[in-house]
Amino acid sequence: MSTEATPQQDPQSTVAKKPRRRLLTTTGVGLVMVGLTVLIAVLSPWLTPYSATATNAHIALMGPSAEHWLGTDQYGRDVLTRTLEGGRYALLVAFLSTTIAVVIGTLIGAVAAYAEGWLDEIISRVMDAVLSVPAVLAMLLIVTVFGQGLWVIVLAVAVVYVPAVARVVRGAARPVANSGYVTAARARGERGLPIIIREILPNVRDTVMVEFAMRASWVILLVSTLSFLGFGANPPTPDWGLMVEENRTALTVAPLGTVAPIVSLAILVVGVNLAADGLAKRMGVDRAARAAG
Amino acid sequence: MSTQPTEQTETPVVEVEGLSISYSAGTRMVPVTREVSFTLAAGETVALVGESGSGKTTVATSLLGALRPGSQIVNGAVRIEGEDVFALDAEKLRALRGGRVALVAQNAGHALTPSMRVGTQIAEALAAHGLDSSAEKVQQLGRRVHLDDPELLRRYPHELSGGQQQRVAIAMAIAAEPKVLVLDEPTTALDVITQRAILDLIAELRAELGVAVVLVSHDLGVVAEIADTSLVMQDGDVVETGPTAEVLSAPAHEYTRKLVAAAPKLKTGGAASTSTEPGSVEPLPATEPVLSCQGLSIRYKRSAPLAVDGFAAEIGEGQTLAVVGQSGSGKSTVAAALAGLLPAERGTISFSTTAGEGEGADLLKPAGKRSLETRRAVQLVFQNADLALNPRRTVGDAIARPLKYFSVAKSRSEIQDRVGALLEEVGLDPSYARRLPAQLSGGQRQRIGIARALAAEPRLLIADEITTALDVSVQAEVLDLLADLQKRRGLSCLFISHDLAVVQRVADHVVVMKDGVVVEQGPVETILTYPQQPYTRQLLEATVHIDAA
Amino acid sequence: MATFILRRLLTGLVTLLIASFLVYFATAALPGDVAQQLLGQDATEEAVAAMREELGIEQSVWLGYLSWLGGIITGDFGTSLVSQEPVSEIVFGAFGNTLLIAVPAILIGVVLSVLLGVIAAVRRGRAADSGISVGTLVAMSIPEFVIATLLVLIFAIALPVFPAVVLSGSEATLGELLPAIWLPIITLVLAMAAYIVRATRSSTIDMMAGEFARTAELKGLRRRQVLTRHVVPNALLPVLPVIAINIAWLMGGVVVVESIFNYPGMGALMIESVSTRDLPVLQAIAIITAVVYVLANLAADLLSMIIDPRQRRTSGTVSAKTTEEAA
Amino acid sequence: PMSIPQQARTGTPSPGGTMRIARPAASAAETLDSASSLGAYEYLGALFNRLVKMDEEGQTVPDLADDWESDASALVWTFHLRGGVRFHDGKELTAEDVVYSIRHVLDPDVGSPQAGTLESMFGPDDVTAVDKHTVRFSLQTANAEFPSLLTSYHCYIIPEGSAAEIGRTGVGTGPFKLESYTPAGAGVVVANEDYFEGRPVLDRIEFYSIQDTTARVNALLAGQVDLIAQTNLDHPTARVVTGTEGTTVARMENAQWYTIPMLYTSDEFSDVRVRQAMKHAYDPQSLLQTALQGEGDAGWDNPVPPGLAGRLEHNREYDPERAKSLLAEAGMEGFSTRLYTSSYEANLTPIATAHADQAAEAGIDLQITNVSADSYYTETWMQVPLMVSYFATGRPLDQLLNQIFRTGSGYNESAWANEDFDNLLDDARADVNESSRMQKYMDAQQLIIDESPHMTPIFGDRLVGLSEKVVNYREFSFEFDYLNIGLED
Ligand SMILES: Nc1ncnc2c1ncn2[C@@H]1O[C@H](COP(=O)(O)OP(=O)(O)OP(=O)(O)O)[C@@H](O)[C@H]1O
Ligand SMILES: Nc1ncnc2c1ncn2[C@@H]1O[C@H](COP(=O)(O)OP(=O)(O)OP(=O)(O)O)[C@@H](O)[C@H]1O
Ligand SMILES: [Mg+2]
Ligand SMILES: [Mg+2]
């Protein structure tokens, strides 16, 4: 056939070629930052000779030295060790809660987009209502009611972010729900759920992936804020937010105890953001425009 | 400009000399145009013809000293009245743009700023070149493009029809009385009647203002109508140049020949005006009707007016019924109702699922309530092939789904065989089953859409503007394929189009719609040769002809 | 347009109704009650029971919800279980104080970020853009409690330019609050600007690449005109919902800021009411923030209607173009 | 590293001046009625006096009463009031005011936390005015330590008939008069020129409420306040405050009594062997070092602070091996439970952290669980098996033992119920012989150490942040010296 088309002839792909290479490097930097944090969190027990939790009163609040590169905290624990291990809690909570929020939010959003009509209206109103309650208040309430175990925090964060994800996914799924292949499936007489699973979900995958990355960065911040407020990780867990809370009063005496976790946190979040940006551009999802959804 | 030699009548207004433009992809330079040259004198019109992506817009906009970001001139020059536009400083370039060379962009709907009243946008074009931009002057320009009602100029772009938007774009372009007018596909997005009006307006302005016109189009009919000279482009190369009439009647290059051959030609039997001849409205098709609908009325919202009012038609076995009419006349609405995607307010639709059964299933039911057999027997092919295929599923998946769903084939290997056979039937290699839609050209995608519909082994195929988005050459292939399949399988077909030439090529019968109402129907030849209704005549007259040149 | 506003108001009301339902039942589920909390660790059972009766917190939740809802409709949020004062007085006082930092933060934040976003878009790929991008990335990556702590350290303790905290409580006068609002405002601006800057940058770039901007440029307009008259108004459209969300977020975001600066606003009141289980106050706070959320979204919708005439579509006059798009 | 000052600055203040005090925000329901559980503690000492108060050795000394005595069986107690004392509104103090105030504390509608302690000894009618300046208490059971019970900060004396409005007016006999007051907000008191011990040094004290501890410290560091009340600084903060120009730290030795109650009624701690194992499992010396950097004293599980008369000097041992074998005996090897803590007080979490780390060496796994500070004493306290808690020291010995260890007492946070112990206390109270009474109190202490579910790991110095201008800051027990405190220029 004469109209044999190779991908190169597709005008879209040629246009995208040049920026893609550069973006890959930004994404790459972001992924490296995230990957390193994860790797360090996993390997941390073997990276320094110290325990992250064992106290030693004799060396409390020491400045940096050859033995303790970043000094020690008020219990004489090695700041470097705690900083290296400090990403575990945030990463775990962020991963679990983001996954739950994104999975549930995606389903709700896709159902709303497909359903249109009154079901869509009801879902949208409920999601809006949940969104209208400040996240911090919601978290406070949930944590006060259910205590502050890991799973409570995970679920609380998920509850807070489900509506935001649902809203974004609904927006992305809307045009898909009106597309020819969905119409074709409807004309074939297929039911709602198979259509959502077979036709709609695969096509909001990009949005969902970007959403995942972006939510993750917010969740990491939120989790650290929770730890900071005393609702997150329990001592002696080495957690960045908790470390900041524990050490911030001594900021002028032993600044590294506070600075190290903040910098680590910032590196992780910057990494996640860079990765999300790169991903978004590659996937053609406008990330900035939906920020703070 | 004082350094310019005194004016000579022979000096061309536009000189494009060996223009090569490339854009950089990484370290590579990808050529967009190669060695394009032409000249143009005042009052002349040159057309740039070629398929999508051949570089037409790139050449056209270079006349305004504009390049897409990332592109650069590798070679050659563009001179307007002897001045190299790419050597101009910023201020002079600004004066050139809209001053001596004006552009009417490809899609007026997108080219007008949505948040600004159109009158203001015209006034801006005047003010930018230090001209009087009073309301009076704007209205005067409006009248020039036949937007006589000053109220129209106070509207926002979205409150105008496509044709009116195009007029505003033209008014903006001629505001500063440029020497060169660049028209980039000025009528592609318009229906035939509106297209006719715009073409007439261009001709009128050219005569009045004596401007040189650069016309970009892939529609040979349009080119034939207004261009003195034509440049045929393919992949950035000019493959043929010459007076339009010559190029179209005796194309030298193979690519041009293909273009000309593929262009649908409307034969009106040379008697479009003999409409007074008594055209007996043909009796209904002699064959057993597969589909018959009466008094079909459809409304979108309860308070809205009827989108379709009393539609009635029949389709015989193996026959094609075309529905034509300008945009918004209700064609797609009828299709959606037949497919069970829209509820009808009134009327009957009966459909026989198997041959010889007469009164069969009631198509007034929504798709979900119809029997599996009925759903299988009615299949849709969509207008926009890009949107009709799930970009995340392979071609094989798309075709296999109806096979499985309607239990046409059961076992895995059987399904695979059927998919391969269907692909071959629509002229594609079975290996295409593994591809994703993005790896196909537009024409190929449309073939997949057809294969998917055929997989269900339907009796009735509903095709809604299935070739509108395709290039002429591809369009011809798809139409041939459809006709061939129909013959082989004895398919009935409801074919929706606004292009009369296409309709003439594929349909047995035609229904002409206007504002949701059927104004005329009958056998194609009768209707196109002896149109009874003024509207049908208007449609026919508006159609451009490749052999007009 | 009027019907559109009416419709939006109505959906807003429905949202509020659902929110009120969620809030009421979530707060009612809080373990422990105000009586226990008030009397503290020394309380005897009898004293707690007596207090409970006195406060009238024994009735069923459903009845409670209905009478509470009825109260709200008549503008009566009930009486604080703790201070025994009308809730509306307490909450609106705190709300006013919060507005005192939130409104300037929003105004400064929005103007500044839109400006920066446009600059970054115009200077795309150049130093200014990179600087702004890095800045927003960092601002997005540092939690606001860190920003606030650093600001206090630098501008209140090391260089005593601003007070570190607000000393007077809820009865603080405007004169007492004014010197103390700047650090909270800066914190809030920094925390929310990043998102708006990025949204503005990206949509401005989109609009600049759009056909109408190109047309405007090719008809001979100056770049500044193209930008201010054609690009920016349209680029703001997708930014408006981001701003609205940020305004709503601000209502919750003030919690951390207010607690760090001891600012007597709604965030501080929220923390206090959670700890004392002062449910009527909590519920009122939640409703007010929900109203802010709904109003911010409504305002964003209205503004985008003003900017974008396409959204002003009134029923009946559907033009040819719009139907083409709808089909 | 910089060391924290051993004691507050003393010196001669310049007369007059305004001192600004930041305190934690109380609930909006707080009141100036000292009998209530919601009394605004910082104001009370400035506005009111009691019959008797406590000195730094824990001895009961005169306040409004300049003398008191009992009959031989310690059943009838008579207090003689100082003459010529006037309330802020000019009314003269009489025995009727005292009777009224004590009956106010006993009033069930007031729900005073001190009511229970007093009720067990006498009813409202058992307190009578003998004459204008003499008050008599007729006890139903003998109590040789009775006066010390009246040192409680719930027993401030208010004018007769003022109960309804005292919560807002704050009319007392104290060194300062109330100028303004907002519950949970700001308030001002001004010098009482007619105070019976002479005018206070300061002209004015302004009180401000700041909820967040760090915000309170920041206000001090930024020079917005001169003193932060009710805020025991953790060690790092104390170092920051010491190291910052213009601010310093005052130390109240052993003022914080940290406890780790094991809930007697819980499954875990009903077995005395498990309780003993818990006590042997940790080293209070090293815990003190880790949690408080040594700023305090090891407690060795005796609740009576060093320096308080009647303290049993003993030597329990740190013996993790013994802890292990005790656990094994009880069939609880590898014992694991949650150790609750909160930010209610700055050192609770450091103590939990240090404690859990030490217990791990004895094979006991304590998972620290941090809960919200605002519900710590309502939702967690006395409801979970193991938590970190604290009291202020400075209770008289008898009050300490009775309030916190007697069966069913309101502050008995480990819910310990031991008849022998209760009997010992009863015997002691009835014993008018000083030395045999003291011996009984010491036996009681031994019982607490050996059997009770109560741990006192350490006593901590209270570290109070204040401006370097503040001189003569003195605070002990629930007493705050408002009279002599002042500012230097
Ligand atoms: N700066 C650039 N970056 C990437 N691709 C470019 C650039 N400039 C031009 N192209 C590519 O060059 C080709 C020619 O584009 P042009 O718009 O001129 O085609 P056209 O003939 O006008 O097509 P159409 O009929 O679809 O409008 C296209 O494939 C386009 O994608
Ligand atoms: N989803 C919809 N909701 C409301 N009105 C609609 C909808 N779709 C179409 N209409 C209206 O119904 C009428 C017929 O539209 P239809 O799409 O059937 O026209 P058409 O002939 O297919 O036009 P085109 O050639 O542009 O595809 C138009 O007036 C249109 O405005
Ligand atoms: Mg083009
Ligand atoms: Mg249509």
Side-chain angles (χ1 to χ4, degrees), chain B residues 348-364:
Chain B
T348 56
I349 317 171
S350 59
F351 175 70
S352 68
T353 42
T354 44
E357 211 179 85
E359 294 289 295
D362 177 10
L363 284 198
L364 280 183

Side-chain angles (χ1 to χ4, degrees), chain B residues 19-92:
Chain B
L19 185 65
S20 294
I21 298 176
S22 295
Y23 67 88
S24 53
T27 49
R28 227 154 38 89
M29 292 300 287
V30 179
V32 183
T33 67
R34 286 184 215 86
E35 298 286 332
V36 175
S37 301
F38 65 91
T39 57
L40 187 61
E44 268 186 2
T45 300
V46 67
L48 301 171
V49 200
E51 68 190 342
S52 188
S54 57
K56 307 183 295 289
T57 299
T58 307
V59 173
T61 51
S62 70
L63 299 188
L64 290 96
L67 289 175
R68 250 175 280 216
S71 306
Q72 67 188 80
I73 301 211
V74 182
N75 223 322
V78 176
R79 278 187 287 274
I80 302 292
E81 296 182 315
E83 251 183 325
D84 184 350
V85 295
F86 288 99
L88 294 176
D89 63 29
E91 191 49 36
K92 280 201 178 139

Side-chain angles (χ1 to χ4, degrees), chain C residues 6-85:
Chain C
L6 211 74
R7 229 187 98 83
R8 288 289 290 106
L9 275 173
L10 230 96
T11 52
L13 277 180
V14 173
T15 305
L16 287 179
L17 197 72
I18 301 173
S20 77
F21 183 83
L22 294 177
V23 162
Y24 191 88
F25 285 88
T27 48
L30 272 179
D33 58 41
V34 69
Q36 180 74 53
Q37 207 71 28
L38 267 183
L39 296 173
Q41 63 198 81
D42 304 323
T44 59
E45 297 244 324
E46 301 82 64
V48 172
M51 182 82 156
R52 246 181 226 152
E53 196 170 325
E54 190 187 316
L55 295 172
I57 48 181
E58 291 294 61
Q59 61 178 315
S60 91
V61 269
W62 283 99
L63 274 181
Y65 175 66
L66 289 180
S67 69
W68 174 69
L69 201 63
I72 291 181
I73 292 166
T74 57
D76 170 20
F77 285 93
T79 309
S80 159
L81 297 180
V82 175
S83 68
Q84 299 297 327
E85 276 170 44

Side-chain angles (χ1 to χ4, degrees), chain D residues 237-287:
Chain D
T237 311
R239 279 180 49 177
V240 171
V241 172
T242 311
T244 303
E245 200 167 332
T247 59
T248 183
V249 164
R251 177 194 302 263
M252 254 47 63
E253 276 188 18
N254 294 333
Q256 303 289 101
W257 163 27
Y258 294 102
T259 65
I260 304 182
M262 301 176 265
L263 198 64
Y264 188 59
T265 50
S266 67
D267 293 339
E268 294 91 328
F269 299 117
S270 55
D271 187 332
V272 68
R273 290 170 297 191
V274 179
R275 302 202 294 266
Q276 286 169 345
M278 286 291 289
K279 291 183 183 181
H280 283 294
Y282 79 101
D283 175 10
Q285 282 297 352
S286 133
L287 192 150

Side-chain angles (χ1 to χ4, degrees), chain D residues 109-342:
Chain D
D109 287 346
V110 174
S112 173
Q114 190 66 7
T117 314
L118 299 184
E119 253 164 15
S120 64
M121 272 163 285
F122 64 93
D125 297 332
D126 299 328
V127 49
T128 50
V130 178
D131 61 33
K132 195 178 172 199
H133 287 123
T134 312
V135 182
R136 175 164 299 151
F137 295 81
S138 309
L139 306 188
Q140 283 143 12
T141 53
N143 191 344
E145 296 280 341
F146 177 68
S148 73
L149 297 182
L150 299 179
T151 62
S152 153
Y153 64 88
H154 293 298
C155 296
Y156 283 106
I157 305 302
I158 61 175
E160 186 179 4
S162 67
E165 74 275 352
I166 192 70
R168 280 167 291 111
T169 58
V171 170
T173 51
F176 286 88
K177 297 199 260 193
L178 190 71
E179 184 179 288
S180 68
Y181 166 68
T182 318
V188 176
V189 296
V190 295
N192 174 7
E193 302 289 344
D194 304 324
Y195 189 56
F196 58 81
E197 284 192 332
R199 183 200 193 277
V201 173
L202 292 169
D203 282 345
R204 250 169 106 74
I205 303 177
E206 295 171 358
F207 292 101
Y208 298 107
S209 294
I210 301 179
Q211 184 56 48
D212 184 62
T213 310
T214 311
R216 227 149 41 227
V217 173
N218 285 341
L220 176 71
L221 295 177
Q224 288 181 274
V225 296
D226 304 305
L227 179 78
I228 38 183
Q230 279 203 64
T231 310
N232 179 26
L233 303 180
D234 58 290
H235 188 77
T237 311
R239 279 180 49 177
V240 171
V241 172
T242 311
T244 303
E245 200 167 332
T247 59
T248 183
V249 164
R251 177 194 302 263
M252 254 47 63
E253 276 188 18
N254 294 333
Q256 303 289 101
W257 163 27
Y258 294 102
T259 65
I260 304 182
M262 301 176 265
L263 198 64
Y264 188 59
T265 50
S266 67
D267 293 339
E268 294 91 328
F269 299 117
S270 55
D271 187 332
V272 68
R273 290 170 297 191
V274 179
R275 302 202 294 266
Q276 286 169 345
M278 286 291 289
K279 291 183 183 181
H280 283 294
Y282 79 101
D283 175 10
Q285 282 297 352
S286 133
L287 192 150
L288 176 69
Q289 206 57 44
T290 308
L292 306 191
Q293 273 72 46
E295 315 279 3
D297 266 303
W300 292 107
D301 299 329
N302 184 355
V304 181
L308 192 70
R311 172 180 157 95
L312 170 73
E313 295 304 332
H314 71 295
N315 239 339
R316 186 179 71 58
E317 267 169 57
Y318 167 53
D319 191 348
E321 290 313 311
R322 174 140 172 69
K324 276 184 196 162
S325 66
L326 277 166
L327 281 178
E329 257 175 61
M332 300 275 271
E333 290 125 311
F335 174 52
S336 164
T337 189
R338 287 168 177 274
L339 172 59
Y340 284 83
T341 178
S342 89

Side-chain angles (χ1 to χ4, degrees), chain A residues 125 128 218 221 277 286 292, chain C residues 15 140 195 198 202 242 245 293:
Chain A
R125 289 287 76 74
D128 241 14
W218 293 350
L221 286 181
D277 271 354
D286 184 0
Chain C
T15 305
M140 277 166 73
Y195 295 104
R198 288 165 58 96
S202 115
V242 178
I245 294 275
Y293 173 89

